mmCIF file with all atom_site columns, all heavy atoms in Angstrom:
data_model
loop_
_atom_site.group_PDB
_atom_site.id
_atom_site.type_symbol
_atom_site.label_atom_id
_atom_site.label_alt_id
_atom_site.label_comp_id
_atom_site.label_asym_id
_atom_site.label_entity_id
_atom_site.label_seq_id
_atom_site.pdbx_PDB_ins_code
_atom_site.Cartn_x
_atom_site.Cartn_y
_atom_site.Cartn_z
_atom_site.occupancy
_atom_site.B_iso_or_equiv
_atom_site.pdbx_formal_charge
_atom_site.auth_seq_id
_atom_site.auth_comp_id
_atom_site.auth_asym_id
_atom_site.auth_atom_id
_atom_site.pdbx_PDB_model_num
ATOM 1  N N   . LEU A 1 13 ? 1.065   -11.273 -11.306 1.00 0.00 ? 13 LEU A N   1
ATOM 2  C CA  . LEU A 1 13 ? 1.369   -12.652 -11.786 1.00 0.00 ? 13 LEU A CA  1
ATOM 3  C C   . LEU A 1 13 ? 0.334   -13.052 -12.847 1.00 0.00 ? 13 LEU A C   1
ATOM 4  O O   . LEU A 1 13 ? -0.816  -13.047 -12.619 1.00 0.00 ? 13 LEU A O   1
ATOM 5  C CB  . LEU A 1 13 ? 1.282   -13.567 -10.598 1.00 0.00 ? 13 LEU A CB  1
ATOM 6  C CG  . LEU A 1 13 ? 1.195   -15.039 -10.784 1.00 0.00 ? 13 LEU A CG  1
ATOM 7  C CD1 . LEU A 1 13 ? 2.111   -15.672 -9.753  1.00 0.00 ? 13 LEU A CD1 1
ATOM 8  C CD2 . LEU A 1 13 ? -0.141  -15.593 -10.606 1.00 0.00 ? 13 LEU A CD2 1
ATOM 9  N N   . PRO A 1 14 ? 0.801   -13.376 -13.985 1.00 0.00 ? 14 PRO A N   1
ATOM 10 C CA  . PRO A 1 14 ? -0.182  -13.899 -14.946 1.00 0.00 ? 14 PRO A CA  1
ATOM 11 C C   . PRO A 1 14 ? -1.003  -14.987 -14.238 1.00 0.00 ? 14 PRO A C   1
ATOM 12 O O   . PRO A 1 14 ? -1.483  -14.738 -13.227 1.00 0.00 ? 14 PRO A O   1
ATOM 13 C CB  . PRO A 1 14 ? 0.691   -14.495 -16.057 1.00 0.00 ? 14 PRO A CB  1
ATOM 14 C CG  . PRO A 1 14 ? 1.945   -13.709 -15.969 1.00 0.00 ? 14 PRO A CG  1
ATOM 15 C CD  . PRO A 1 14 ? 2.105   -13.330 -14.508 1.00 0.00 ? 14 PRO A CD  1
ATOM 16 N N   . MET A 1 15 ? -1.114  -16.164 -14.496 1.00 0.00 ? 15 MET A N   1
ATOM 17 C CA  . MET A 1 15 ? -1.850  -17.163 -13.726 1.00 0.00 ? 15 MET A CA  1
ATOM 18 C C   . MET A 1 15 ? -0.800  -18.028 -13.055 1.00 0.00 ? 15 MET A C   1
ATOM 19 O O   . MET A 1 15 ? 0.097   -18.439 -13.675 1.00 0.00 ? 15 MET A O   1
ATOM 20 C CB  . MET A 1 15 ? -2.684  -18.028 -14.658 1.00 0.00 ? 15 MET A CB  1
ATOM 21 C CG  . MET A 1 15 ? -3.568  -17.234 -15.530 1.00 0.00 ? 15 MET A CG  1
ATOM 22 S SD  . MET A 1 15 ? -5.034  -16.753 -14.702 1.00 0.00 ? 15 MET A SD  1
ATOM 23 C CE  . MET A 1 15 ? -6.152  -17.924 -15.285 1.00 0.00 ? 15 MET A CE  1
ATOM 24 N N   . ILE A 1 16 ? -0.938  -18.369 -11.828 1.00 0.00 ? 16 ILE A N   1
ATOM 25 C CA  . ILE A 1 16 ? 0.100   -19.116 -11.153 1.00 0.00 ? 16 ILE A CA  1
ATOM 26 C C   . ILE A 1 16 ? 0.181   -20.503 -11.788 1.00 0.00 ? 16 ILE A C   1
ATOM 27 O O   . ILE A 1 16 ? -0.346  -21.471 -11.269 1.00 0.00 ? 16 ILE A O   1
ATOM 28 C CB  . ILE A 1 16 ? -0.166  -19.200 -9.649  1.00 0.00 ? 16 ILE A CB  1
ATOM 29 C CG1 . ILE A 1 16 ? -0.384  -17.813 -9.088  1.00 0.00 ? 16 ILE A CG1 1
ATOM 30 C CG2 . ILE A 1 16 ? 0.934   -19.893 -8.917  1.00 0.00 ? 16 ILE A CG2 1
ATOM 31 C CD1 . ILE A 1 16 ? -0.744  -17.773 -7.659  1.00 0.00 ? 16 ILE A CD1 1
ATOM 32 N N   . ALA A 1 17 ? 0.880   -20.551 -12.916 1.00 0.00 ? 17 ALA A N   1
ATOM 33 C CA  . ALA A 1 17 ? 1.036   -21.804 -13.675 1.00 0.00 ? 17 ALA A CA  1
ATOM 34 C C   . ALA A 1 17 ? -0.294  -22.507 -13.873 1.00 0.00 ? 17 ALA A C   1
ATOM 35 O O   . ALA A 1 17 ? -0.375  -23.718 -13.906 1.00 0.00 ? 17 ALA A O   1
ATOM 36 C CB  . ALA A 1 17 ? 2.007   -22.734 -12.948 1.00 0.00 ? 17 ALA A CB  1
ATOM 37 N N   . GLY A 1 18 ? -1.370  -21.678 -13.993 1.00 0.00 ? 18 GLY A N   1
ATOM 38 C CA  . GLY A 1 18 ? -2.687  -22.248 -14.236 1.00 0.00 ? 18 GLY A CA  1
ATOM 39 C C   . GLY A 1 18 ? -3.296  -22.902 -13.015 1.00 0.00 ? 18 GLY A C   1
ATOM 40 O O   . GLY A 1 18 ? -4.344  -23.530 -13.105 1.00 0.00 ? 18 GLY A O   1
ATOM 41 N N   . ALA A 1 19 ? -2.660  -22.747 -11.840 1.00 0.00 ? 19 ALA A N   1
ATOM 42 C CA  . ALA A 1 19 ? -3.155  -23.453 -10.661 1.00 0.00 ? 19 ALA A CA  1
ATOM 43 C C   . ALA A 1 19 ? -4.401  -22.796 -10.078 1.00 0.00 ? 19 ALA A C   1
ATOM 44 O O   . ALA A 1 19 ? -5.203  -23.450 -9.427  1.00 0.00 ? 19 ALA A O   1
ATOM 45 C CB  . ALA A 1 19 ? -2.069  -23.523 -9.595  1.00 0.00 ? 19 ALA A CB  1
ATOM 46 N N   . LEU A 1 20 ? -4.523  -21.449 -10.272 1.00 0.00 ? 20 LEU A N   1
ATOM 47 C CA  . LEU A 1 20 ? -5.660  -20.758 -9.697  1.00 0.00 ? 20 LEU A CA  1
ATOM 48 C C   . LEU A 1 20 ? -6.570  -20.284 -10.815 1.00 0.00 ? 20 LEU A C   1
ATOM 49 O O   . LEU A 1 20 ? -6.211  -19.423 -11.598 1.00 0.00 ? 20 LEU A O   1
ATOM 50 C CB  . LEU A 1 20 ? -5.197  -19.544 -8.872  1.00 0.00 ? 20 LEU A CB  1
ATOM 51 C CG  . LEU A 1 20 ? -4.289  -19.872 -7.686  1.00 0.00 ? 20 LEU A CG  1
ATOM 52 C CD1 . LEU A 1 20 ? -3.827  -18.594 -7.013  1.00 0.00 ? 20 LEU A CD1 1
ATOM 53 C CD2 . LEU A 1 20 ? -5.016  -20.755 -6.687  1.00 0.00 ? 20 LEU A CD2 1
ATOM 54 N N   . LEU A 1 21 ? -7.761  -20.819 -10.906 1.00 0.00 ? 21 LEU A N   1
ATOM 55 C CA  . LEU A 1 21 ? -8.695  -20.460 -11.963 1.00 0.00 ? 21 LEU A CA  1
ATOM 56 C C   . LEU A 1 21 ? -9.978  -19.959 -11.313 1.00 0.00 ? 21 LEU A C   1
ATOM 57 O O   . LEU A 1 21 ? -10.634 -20.690 -10.578 1.00 0.00 ? 21 LEU A O   1
ATOM 58 C CB  . LEU A 1 21 ? -8.998  -21.671 -12.847 1.00 0.00 ? 21 LEU A CB  1
ATOM 59 C CG  . LEU A 1 21 ? -7.784  -22.282 -13.561 1.00 0.00 ? 21 LEU A CG  1
ATOM 60 C CD1 . LEU A 1 21 ? -8.211  -23.547 -14.294 1.00 0.00 ? 21 LEU A CD1 1
ATOM 61 C CD2 . LEU A 1 21 ? -7.180  -21.283 -14.533 1.00 0.00 ? 21 LEU A CD2 1
ATOM 62 N N   . ILE A 1 22 ? -10.311 -18.691 -11.581 1.00 0.00 ? 22 ILE A N   1
ATOM 63 C CA  . ILE A 1 22 ? -11.511 -18.130 -10.974 1.00 0.00 ? 22 ILE A CA  1
ATOM 64 C C   . ILE A 1 22 ? -12.759 -18.559 -11.759 1.00 0.00 ? 22 ILE A C   1
ATOM 65 O O   . ILE A 1 22 ? -12.804 -18.484 -12.963 1.00 0.00 ? 22 ILE A O   1
ATOM 66 C CB  . ILE A 1 22 ? -11.423 -16.592 -10.973 1.00 0.00 ? 22 ILE A CB  1
ATOM 67 C CG1 . ILE A 1 22 ? -10.332 -16.161 -9.979  1.00 0.00 ? 22 ILE A CG1 1
ATOM 68 C CG2 . ILE A 1 22 ? -12.752 -15.942 -10.605 1.00 0.00 ? 22 ILE A CG2 1
ATOM 69 C CD1 . ILE A 1 22 ? -10.644 -16.530 -8.559  1.00 0.00 ? 22 ILE A CD1 1
ATOM 70 N N   . SER A 1 23 ? -13.758 -19.009 -11.060 1.00 0.00 ? 23 SER A N   1
ATOM 71 C CA  . SER A 1 23 ? -15.042 -19.323 -11.643 1.00 0.00 ? 23 SER A CA  1
ATOM 72 C C   . SER A 1 23 ? -16.069 -18.371 -11.048 1.00 0.00 ? 23 SER A C   1
ATOM 73 O O   . SER A 1 23 ? -16.512 -18.565 -9.925  1.00 0.00 ? 23 SER A O   1
ATOM 74 C CB  . SER A 1 23 ? -15.433 -20.777 -11.317 1.00 0.00 ? 23 SER A CB  1
ATOM 75 O OG  . SER A 1 23 ? -16.726 -21.055 -11.803 1.00 0.00 ? 23 SER A OG  1
ATOM 76 N N   . PRO A 1 24 ? -16.421 -17.261 -11.730 1.00 0.00 ? 24 PRO A N   1
ATOM 77 C CA  . PRO A 1 24 ? -17.279 -16.242 -11.145 1.00 0.00 ? 24 PRO A CA  1
ATOM 78 C C   . PRO A 1 24 ? -18.585 -16.783 -10.586 1.00 0.00 ? 24 PRO A C   1
ATOM 79 O O   . PRO A 1 24 ? -19.107 -16.239 -9.612  1.00 0.00 ? 24 PRO A O   1
ATOM 80 C CB  . PRO A 1 24 ? -17.541 -15.298 -12.331 1.00 0.00 ? 24 PRO A CB  1
ATOM 81 C CG  . PRO A 1 24 ? -16.366 -15.492 -13.229 1.00 0.00 ? 24 PRO A CG  1
ATOM 82 C CD  . PRO A 1 24 ? -16.035 -16.955 -13.107 1.00 0.00 ? 24 PRO A CD  1
#
Side-chain angles (χ1 to χ4, degrees):
L13 165 138
M15 306 279 260
I16 307 176
L20 299 177
L21 300 175
I22 291 295
S23 176

